[in-house]
Structure formats: C-alpha cells, structure tokens
C-alpha cells in the first residue's frame, strides 16, 4: 500500500485554450492536513475538483486509496471509467463547498442521512443514529429537525461538514469553506475543522484563512499560475518563504 492516500501525477487541466493546471504533482499522506494557498485563479479549486473527478483532467493521473479516479488502464493507456465505477470511487472523497448546497426541502437529519441510505445501503434507523452522532460532533445536536432556512450560515456549513462525514470518506476536501460566511461565523466552522484535524482525518483545504493554515496544517502548498511553486511546513513557508510569488502573496494577505 502506498504511503500516500492521494496521488496526483503530472496533472494537466485545460479550460478551452487556458491551461489551469500545468503538470501538477501533488500527494497527501494518510492523516495529513494539507492547506493549499495562492492567488485567485492559481488552480487551487480546480485541483480539488479534479481529485473528486468533478473536473476531468486532460493529462496525468489521480489516485485515491490506490485506485485511479475517473479512469482505468487499458493496454498501458488511460481510458474513461464507467460512471458507476466513478460514483463508487467518489465515496472515498468527501467535499465541502463554499456554498452549503443543502437540500432546502429536507430537514437537517434527512440532509445528513440521505446519501448513506442511497449510496451505501445503510438502514434508515442506522443512518439516522449516525447522523445524530455527527450533529453532536459538529456541535449542533439540537438542530436535527430544523430546515436549512432556519439556520445561520455557520450552522449550515457545519451541517454540510456532517453530511460529508456521513459517507465515511477517506479524505475530506474543503473549498474555501468560510468564504461565504459572515466574519462572526468563521470561527465556529474552523473550530470543527480543527477538531477533525486532531482526530486524524485526512484533509485538503483551500483557504485564505492564514491563521488556520499556520496552526493546523501539517504542510502548506503554494500555487500560482496552475503550478505548485512551494511546499513545506507552515513555519517555513510563512516565516521564510523561498519563492518571490509566495513572498508577494503573504505580504498582500498578512499586512
């Protein structure tokens, strides 16, 4: 078994004539928290979406838990996989988006328990019990019967995290999970994420919250113009960045 839970090798992604990811090599160890930072348009979110095969790559390969995502090998070449196989692979990859994407016509309990029932075949009573345990984990045990419209943005994002955890993913991807929140709600979401990190959850986080990156990340990866330009432990990246673009980014966001 590989030491890496996520392995991306020479990944290229194009949107029309624009190369968004340029031969990216990116690995995440089991239990590791990796934070991706970089200016807008640097390819951070696209890399996350490719790991979950929400975006198709044009070159390279991505594997999660040792299994290729979105493709399979045939006579030494990669060919698109069947949709049912891709859906099965995605079970290992949870994702929390900027927007909460909750089902507004369902209460919180149903939002969390739906996917395990439909995709994992979990019995309703078991799915409900697991959902209630997850609500307790994200600090919202009293919101099981509430509907999304009755919750604050911070509460909705914590429900979205619980929903992602309900599928028991091997890795959890966060795409700017606090960017749509009012400032007073950011802390409650970051608190849940800190608890997940302490529990050993493998996480890849795109964020502009540099304090969180510095405190929680095992490794910080800096992207610019579709490439990884620097990687290292937080103290090294934040205190002594090597690449000029990293220094420019940190100067802009920290001062």
């Amino acid at each position: 078994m590989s030491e890496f839970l996520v392995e991306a090798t020479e990944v290229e992604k194009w949107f029309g004539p624009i190369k968004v990811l340029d031969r990216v090599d990116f690995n995440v160890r089991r239990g590791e928290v990796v934070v991706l930072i970089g200016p807008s348009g640097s390819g951070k979110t696209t890399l996350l979406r490719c790991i979950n095969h929400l975006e198709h790559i044009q070159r390279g390969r991505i594997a999660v838990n040792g299994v290729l995502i979105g493709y399979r090998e045939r006579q030494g070449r990669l060919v698109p996989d069947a949709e049912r196989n891709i859906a099965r692979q995605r079970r290992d990859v949870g994702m929390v988006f900027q927007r909460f994407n909750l089902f507004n016509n369902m209460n919180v309990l149903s939002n969390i328990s739906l996917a395990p029932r439909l995709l994992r075949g979990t019995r309703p009573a078991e799915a409900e019990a697991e959902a209630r345990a997850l609500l307790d984990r994200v600090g919202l045990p009293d919101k099981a019967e509430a509907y999304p419209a009755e919750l604050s943005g911070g509460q909705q994002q914590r429900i979205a995290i619980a929903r992602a955890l309900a599928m028991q993913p091997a890795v959890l991807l966060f795409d700017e999970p606090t960017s749509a929140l009012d400032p007073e709600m950011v802390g409650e979401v970051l608190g849940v994420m800190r608890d997940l990190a302490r529990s050993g959850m493998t996480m890849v986080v795109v964020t502009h919250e540099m304090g969180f990156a510095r405190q929680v990340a095992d490794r910080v990866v800096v992207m610019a113009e579709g490439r990884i330009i620097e990687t290292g432990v937080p103290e090294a990246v934040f205190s002594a960045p090597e690449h000029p673009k990293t220094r420019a980014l940190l100067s802009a966001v920290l001062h």
Side-chain angles (χ1 to χ4, degrees):
M1 181 180 292
S2 170
E3 67 174 305
F4 296 114
L5 180 60
V6 178
E7 297 179 271
T9 307
E10 294 194 342
V11 170
E12 290 189 3
K13 172 64 184 175
W14 297 75
F15 289 124
I18 301 172
K19 183 184 281 191
V20 184
L21 296 176
D22 186 4
R23 299 176 71 89
V24 169
D25 291 319
F26 176 74
N27 299 317
V28 182
R29 290 180 174 84
R30 299 170 193 278
E32 188 177 28
V33 178
V34 177
V35 172
L36 290 169
I37 65 173
S40 179
S42 59
K44 309 181 300 296
T45 291
T46 300
L47 178 57
L48 278 197
R49 292 176 63 85
C50 289
I51 293 171
N52 206 17
H53 202 63
L54 294 175
E55 298 288 353
H56 298 190
I57 61 176
Q58 278 83 40
R59 189 177 187 277
R61 60 175 60 206
I62 298 174
V64 175
N65 254 345
V67 178
L68 285 173
I69 294 291
Y71 300 89
R72 55 191 171 87
E73 283 196 274
R74 179 190 291 167
Q75 299 177 343
R77 297 182 60 198
L78 294 186
V79 296
D81 208 344
E83 284 299 324
R84 65 179 180 277
N85 292 335
I86 295 171
R88 191 179 304 116
Q89 294 156 5
R90 282 200 183 111
R91 295 177 188 176
D92 274 345
V93 186
M95 189 153 183
V96 179
F97 300 88
Q98 295 181 35
R99 297 289 173 178
F100 326 120
N101 296 332
L102 300 177
F103 298 114
N104 291 321
N105 61 327
M106 294 182 181
N107 67 16
V108 163
L109 203 63
S110 297
N111 262 282
I112 298 171
S113 62
L114 179 66
R117 288 192 290 109
L118 293 182
L119 301 178
R120 288 195 179 274
T122 306
R123 294 175 180 174
E126 183 181 349
E128 180 175 321
E130 290 175 354
R132 290 186 183 278
L134 287 169
L135 281 173
D136 191 56
R137 187 173 183 180
V138 300
L140 295 170
D142 59 335
K143 298 299 183 182
E145 306 303 328
Y147 283 79
E150 301 169 332
L151 304 175
S152 70
Q155 290 171 332
Q156 290 188 62
Q157 191 62 295
R158 283 189 278 165
I159 299 302
I161 293 172
R163 182 179 60 181
L165 289 170
M167 287 297 289
Q168 301 173 17
V171 58
L172 202 51
L173 312 178
F174 292 85
D175 181 19
E176 294 283 7
T178 60
S179 66
L181 301 178
D182 292 333
E184 64 270 19
M185 298 176 186
V186 170
E188 61 191 55
V189 173
L190 294 180
V192 170
M193 294 170 65
R194 287 189 181 93
D195 288 342
L196 288 175
R198 283 193 288 266
S199 76
M201 186 77 204
T202 306
M203 298 163 56
V204 183
V205 184
V206 171
T207 185
H208 286 100
E209 298 289 341
M210 297 301 169
F212 173 86
R214 193 162 199 160
Q215 296 165 14
V216 179
D218 296 303
R219 188 158 47 97
V220 174
V221 173
V222 188
M223 295 190 68
E225 298 175 351
R227 297 180 179 181
I228 291 175
I229 61 170
E230 188 162 349
T231 183
V233 297
E235 189 59 33
V237 172
F238 285 102
S239 299
E242 296 179 357
H243 198 286
K245 290 182 179 178
T246 305
R247 291 196 290 270
L249 170 70
L250 296 177
S251 177
V253 300
L254 296 178
H255 299 290

